Amino acid sequence: MITIQTASVRFLEQPFLVPMQISSGLITQATEARVTVSVRVGNREGIGHGSIYLSDLWAWPGANPDRTVKDARMRALCRQIADSLSDLCGPGAAHPLELGLLLHHEASSLTSSPRLPLLAAAVCASPFDAAIHDAVGHALGRSAFQLYETDVPIPSADHFFPQGGAISAIRKCLRQPVPSLKAWWAVSMNDDLENTVRPAVQRTGISCFKIKILARDNVVDATRTADVFRAAVRWGISPTLSVDSNEGNPDAASVLEYLDSLERLDPDAYAALAYLEQPTSRDITASPQDWSKVAARKPVLLDEGLTSLDLLPVAREQHWSGLALKTCKGHSFALVAAAWALGNNLQLSLQDLTNPGYSAIHAFLFGSHLPTLNGVELNSPQYTPSANQPWLPALSGLFEPRFGQHNLRQLTAPGLGSSLVAIA
């Protein structure tokens, strides 16, 4: 039986080295929520850590309320979760997966009217979920990915896996961890390719590029995509591309028009395009799209639109190709979603925002244990390198990619890896 003893959160302001442009605006700084949780497992005790950026512009788009209010309310929710974590996770839950799923479900109920969006609430809850798994792993001296060897009931998720339950499904999808994963470089619409992107490519060896498009003009977006491809070829790279409009497209037809424009403009750039992330509204029930025609040409992955496990069958009905997972929605939520997707022949990518420090280690370990089509997208070396300084030089292979890879040789750490380096 797992008993949560204490939980705490503190906040750090992390400035972006360069702005990240998404369709809803510019991200120039982020609030990092850094969490510590202590647990008792039988007669053993463990302390775990987790962190995440409270990325309000991504998790809570729109002009009302303003960003200052959003950030304050997300911090307040984190404090509420810390104060009531044991109650939120429910009495008698026997496995950290169930604890995390209960937390994911209950976090949104804590917010005052008007409530935070589900995605914003999930972001606030996610470092606590990670810290619980980290703490249980420390208490048992095991990786959090080794907690699925014995089947136990998971009431919040077993009904999604009628053939054997959630634990069995997760066990089947986990692989022996790999020590290196492809690294990606995010390219915003206004980034200077020669003076900004090229030096980074030469330094890191990265050949995978995530292109942020605005979805206001398909010709402009196709041209930018082709320009990034051609620049990479000039630099002696055979590039892999993905595109992300952050819900900027009005419908699936506009995505097809973008693909048509790109294929006409540069067939090689079109061939290099590996997948697309969440092109349209995150509310996939209010704004449903049929992705069958797009998916027949390129994988199209559900990202912001996946806020509840109940939406997984809806995603399949709408012909999404797969899921763009993020640990900022919760470790437990992401694991269950991954197992369901793989069990239903959907693809996975791991797009973990700008996770720094603890959360970057967590994301890498998550990707190393699951068959993602992209490796892992970790942007903190690009946007908030100062947030990673306490982990350097000990984990330079992870936080300073080389030869186009993130590397983490020490994959046997307990929990979710917070013990890999001491933090001041």
Side-chain angles (χ1 to χ4, degrees):
M1 182 68 67
I2 297 168
T3 303
I4 296 172
Q5 297 183 299
T6 64
S8 63
V9 60
R10 62 190 180 103
F11 304 102
L12 297 85
E13 295 288 339
Q14 303 289 10
F16 274 45
L17 183 64
V18 293
M20 175 188 285
Q21 184 177 18
I22 62 177
S23 60
S24 55
L26 283 177
I27 302 175
T28 59
Q29 65 83 36
T31 297
E32 181 185 358
R34 196 173 290 182
V35 165
T36 300
V37 171
S38 64
V39 304
R40 178 180 288 275
V41 185
N43 61 354
R44 302 179 182 182
E45 295 185 353
I47 296 175
H49 303 279
S51 78
I52 211 68
Y53 282 149
L54 304 181
S55 183
D56 61 276
L57 195 62
W58 175 78
W60 192 351
N64 185 27
D66 66 32
R67 296 196 62 196
T68 301
V69 173
K70 292 175 183 177
D71 182 73
R73 289 193 58 194
M74 291 180 77
R75 291 188 190 213
L77 179 55
C78 289
R79 295 189 187 99
Q80 285 182 283
I81 293 171
D83 291 341
S84 57
L85 184 61
S86 181
D87 292 335
L88 290 170
C89 291
H95 195 281
L97 183 73
E98 178 69 7
L99 297 177
L101 292 174
L102 289 169
L103 175 60
H104 179 90
H105 177 73
E106 294 295 328
S108 61
S109 67
L110 281 178
T111 61
S112 59
S113 181
R115 289 186 174 181
L116 273 67
L118 287 175
L119 189 54
V123 168
C124 294
S126 66
F128 294 91
D129 188 359
I132 290 169
H133 281 81
D134 192 46
V136 172
H138 279 281
L140 299 177
R142 308 179 72 193
S143 164
F145 296 95
Q146 295 175 331
L147 302 177
Y148 299 90
E149 295 172 356
T150 302
D151 291 344
V152 298
I154 305 294
S156 298
D158 281 344
H159 59 285
F160 290 102
F161 307 97
Q163 300 305 314
I167 295 290
S168 174
I170 290 171
R171 182 170 63 247
K172 290 174 183 176
C173 78
L174 293 174
R175 64 181 178 182
Q176 284 298 113
V178 297
S180 63
L181 294 169
K182 291 180 188 176
W184 288 71
W185 194 263
V187 182
S188 294
M189 284 297 288
N190 295 323
D191 285 353
D192 186 320
L193 298 181
E194 288 297 329
N195 296 316
T196 301
V197 180
R198 183 177 184 176
V201 167
Q202 292 173 334
R203 184 178 70 253
T204 63
I206 286 175
S207 61
C208 300
F209 302 93
K210 174 177 177 172
I211 304 171
K212 291 287 191 178
I213 59 176
L214 302 182
R216 297 167 187 164
D217 185 318
N218 282 322
V219 174
V220 170
D221 290 340
T223 300
R224 179 61 168 176
T225 307
D227 286 347
V228 173
F229 173 81
R230 292 166 182 170
V233 171
R234 287 197 306 272
W235 305 332
I237 294 170
S238 178
T240 300
L241 309 178
S242 72
V243 295
D244 184 7
S245 71
N246 289 105
E247 310 166 73
N249 290 85
D251 50 37
S254 69
V255 180
L256 281 172
E257 291 170 4
Y258 161 78
L259 293 176
D260 289 339
S261 296
L262 179 60
E263 190 170 26
R264 285 194 302 268
L265 180 65
D266 193 322
D268 291 333
Y270 175 83
L273 179 61
Y275 61 94
L276 309 98
E277 288 181 58
Q278 187 83 43
T280 55
S281 169
R282 67 184 60 189
D283 192 336
I284 66 170
T285 55
S287 301
Q289 302 290 326
D290 180 355
W291 291 104
S292 55
K293 292 182 179 179
V294 174
R297 296 174 62 175
K298 297 290 180 179
V300 55
L301 305 181
L302 180 63
D303 180 358
E304 293 92 346
L306 183 62
T307 54
S308 166
L309 295 176
D310 291 333
L311 291 171
L312 289 168
V314 178
R316 181 177 56 191
E317 292 165 6
Q318 294 179 3
H319 304 289
W320 291 87
S321 307
L323 308 179
L325 299 175
K326 284 187 167 75
T327 58
C328 70
K329 296 182 186 180
H331 179 80
S332 301
F333 182 89
L335 266 183
V336 173
W340 187 92
L342 293 174
N344 284 273
N345 299 313
L346 300 181
Q347 299 181 74
L348 301 177
S349 73
L350 188 58
Q351 314 288 157
D352 250 318
L353 294 177
T354 315
N355 284 10
Y358 289 133
S359 55
I361 297 170
H362 173 197
F364 180 92
L365 291 174
F366 197 99
S368 75
H369 284 84
L370 286 162
T372 64
L373 62 87
N374 68 325
V376 61
E377 181 198 325
L378 291 175
N379 288 332
S380 63
Q382 178 178 352
Y383 290 106
T384 60
S386 61
N388 297 328
Q389 283 302 312
W391 283 263
L392 296 174
L395 298 184
S396 59
L398 173 62
F399 291 108
E400 296 175 344
R402 291 288 183 270
F403 305 107
Q405 302 277 325
H406 296 285
N407 294 281
L408 187 58
R409 299 288 173 182
Q410 299 164 289
L411 293 173
T412 57
L416 290 176
S418 70
S419 64
L420 287 177
V421 62
I423 306 300

